Amino acid sequence: QSVLTQPPSESGTPGQRVTISCSGGSSNIGSNYVHWYQELPGAAPKLLIYRNAQRPSGVPDRFSGSKSGTSASLAISGLRSEDEADYYCATWDDSLSSYVFGTGTKVTVL
Amino acid sequence: DVPLVESGGGSVQPGGSLRLSCAASGFTFSSYYMSWVRQAPGKGLEWVANMNQDGSETYYVDSVKGRFTISRDNAMSSLFLQMNNLRAEDTAVYYCTRDGAAPFDYWGQGTLVTVSS
């Protein structure tokens, strides 16, 4: 059972903005960077956002991240059909001395 | 361009062993922490273990401590995961990942491990 909680699913129509939440605690999100990963169907996961809000080269600026206290969020603006994927947050947990992933959120473009 | 290639997966009976390998290219392997991450069929991602650049530090998720051993050969740009006393719940796709500017900034294509009698 993951220590990081995400909603199982989110959906939107093309062009809309979708936000995915990631809720944790003081030993993980509260004291460490949060990173986000996108898993397209049939593909290996890919780094999408790192250190709360940084985008790797090649990631569109439609994707943005933020963190406040013990929660983090990933926002997808201008939703496109190719954004249909599973999204995971991750961070280091000081109490567990391990990396932890969120439960994952499936984004559907209606 | 996928600079990480896993191998060694397969089917094994409960209690058996497997050794996964990951061949890295396209970057200076010895300069990076490396991790293994797994994904059970239809489930989410789970970090398994990581190792620092020279192999002197290792970390494991509680569920594999005492059973799995991560190692590396910097001369061969290779990462390994020795898995002993395998259980059904270890069935998953195992990904080799690099820890760069962020943890898991590059991923391999994964190798499937199936533990079943």
Side-chain angles (χ1 to χ4, degrees):
Chain A
Q1 189 170 353
S2 177
V3 299
L4 302 182
T5 302
Q6 298 178 233
S9 63
E10 296 287 354
S11 63
T13 57
Q16 277 190 328
R17 175 185 173 94
V18 169
T19 301
I20 300 168
S21 61
C22 176
S23 178
S26 58
S27 64
N28 42 71
I29 293 178
S31 50
N32 293 289
Y33 287 121
V34 177
H35 319 282
W36 290 89
Y37 301 85
Q38 177 191 57
E39 185 180 25
L40 294 168
K46 163 193 163 185
L47 178 65
L48 196 64
I49 295 287
Y50 67 101
R51 296 185 184 179
N52 303 334
Q54 304 303 308
R55 276 187 310 276
S57 174
V59 173
D61 59 7
R62 302 185 294 105
F63 295 92
S64 61
S66 64
K67 174 186 142 175
S68 178
T70 59
S71 293
S73 294
L74 172 71
I76 310 173
S77 59
L79 193 64
R80 303 175 70 160
S81 58
E82 57 260 40
D83 299 332
E84 274 208 347
D86 293 324
Y87 294 84
Y88 295 90
C89 58
T91 187
W92 180 259
D93 190 295
D94 293 333
S95 295
L96 298 174
S97 292
S98 70
Y99 281 110
V100 288
F101 282 95
T103 48
T105 298
K106 182 175 185 60
V107 169
T108 301
V109 182
L110 301 171
Chain B
D1 183 25
V2 179
L4 300 169
V5 180
E6 303 93 338
S7 60
S11 294
V12 63
Q13 292 187 336
S17 298
L18 275 179
R19 187 188 194 220
L20 305 184
S21 299
C22 170
S25 62
F27 64 97
T28 306
F29 181 77
S30 59
S31 296
Y32 293 88
Y33 271 73
M34 297 293 295
S35 287
W36 289 96
V37 176
R38 68 184 179 183
Q39 185 172 36
K43 302 297 184 182
L45 300 171
E46 181 182 41
W47 172 80
V48 175
N50 75 352
M51 172 170 272
N52 71 339
Q53 291 89 337
D54 65 5
S56 61
E57 295 180 14
T58 58
Y59 296 90
Y60 298 89
V61 69
D62 282 349
S63 59
V64 308
K65 284 179 181 175
R67 300 188 301 122
F68 289 12
T69 302
I70 187 172
S71 62
R72 65 191 296 162
D73 183 338
N74 285 341
M76 297 296 293
S77 296
S78 294
L79 182 72
F80 307 99
L81 186 68
Q82 178 66 44
M83 303 185 296
N84 298 330
N85 191 19
L86 282 159
R87 305 167 179 167
E89 54 265 35
D90 296 318
T91 294
V93 173
Y94 285 73
Y95 294 101
C96 169
T97 71
R98 190 186 81 168
D99 295 354
F104 333 126
D105 66 349
Y106 276 103
W107 299 63
Q109 84 289 351
T111 187
L112 177 63
V113 171
T114 303
V115 184
S116 173
S117 55

